Amino acid sequence: MKRVLLPVDGSECSLRAVALVISKRALYASPEELEIHLANVQPPLSNDVSRFVSREQIAEFHREESEKAMKAACDLLEAAGAKYISHHLVGKVGEEIANLADSLQCDQIVMGSHGRSAFHEFIVGSISLKIIHLSKIPVLLVK
């Protein structure tokens, strides 16, 4: 594996995925060769809000929220001495993550699974399931 995409949302589950990539990276003969792409997807704001706020303000809001969600993951990667590239996206999470993995030509997506019940996933839907369905590469879910 040369290039991995790590979608994070600030949850404990996503941080476990980051920790797993860090531990796997340590097993490489040349750990610096692993290209890590950290990604966070923010939901778009409703049209009602965008009528009263400038595009620049909305973009800044999304960036700040994304940086907050990524902070703990960034701290873990930096503490491990792992270089990474951050991606701040806005849109539907499943589609954005699958498209980013495709455009970056990643070898794998490693992400946390919230471990909700089957009933809850049926009613609410699953971002993980959406990414698995849309992705052209392997997806490793970390519980």
Side-chain angles (χ1 to χ4, degrees):
M1 185 169 61
K2 298 232 181 229
R3 192 171 295 136
V4 64
L5 178 60
L6 265 169
V8 296
D9 60 5
S11 69
E12 286 299 317
C13 292
S14 67
L15 294 179
R16 284 194 292 273
V18 173
L20 178 69
V21 169
I22 290 169
S23 68
K24 296 276 187 201
R25 177 184 172 272
L27 300 175
Y28 281 52
S30 301
E32 64 281 350
E33 289 182 10
L34 178 62
E35 193 176 302
I36 300 172
H37 292 272
L38 199 61
N40 176 263
V41 181
Q42 292 293 310
L45 297 178
S46 73
N47 288 336
D48 295 336
V49 173
S50 17
R51 281 202 237 144
F52 302 103
V53 182
S54 72
R55 285 186 195 176
E56 294 79 21
Q57 289 173 313
I58 293 172
E60 182 61 26
F61 170 77
H62 282 131
R63 185 154 193 83
E64 286 174 4
E65 292 300 306
S66 185
E67 287 174 355
K68 278 191 242 176
M70 296 173 91
K71 177 146 180 28
C74 292
D75 291 346
L76 284 174
L77 289 165
E78 289 165 10
K83 292 181 182 175
Y84 61 93
I85 300 165
S86 296
H87 302 273
H88 306 276
L89 307 165
V90 177
K92 293 182 178 179
V93 178
E95 288 86 349
E96 292 294 331
I97 294 299
N99 290 339
L100 182 61
D102 194 38
S103 69
L104 294 172
Q105 298 178 333
C106 290
D107 302 307
Q108 186 175 41
I109 299 170
V110 179
M111 59 185 289
S113 168
H114 286 284
R116 296 182 181 106
S117 70
F119 177 74
H120 185 267
E121 294 298 344
F122 175 73
I123 299 299
V124 176
S126 169
I127 291 171
S128 302
L129 188 59
K130 185 75 165 181
I131 292 170
I132 290 168
H133 177 74
L134 294 172
S135 179
K136 298 174 185 171
I137 59 173
V139 178
L140 175 61
L141 295 178
V142 179
K143 204 167 185 179

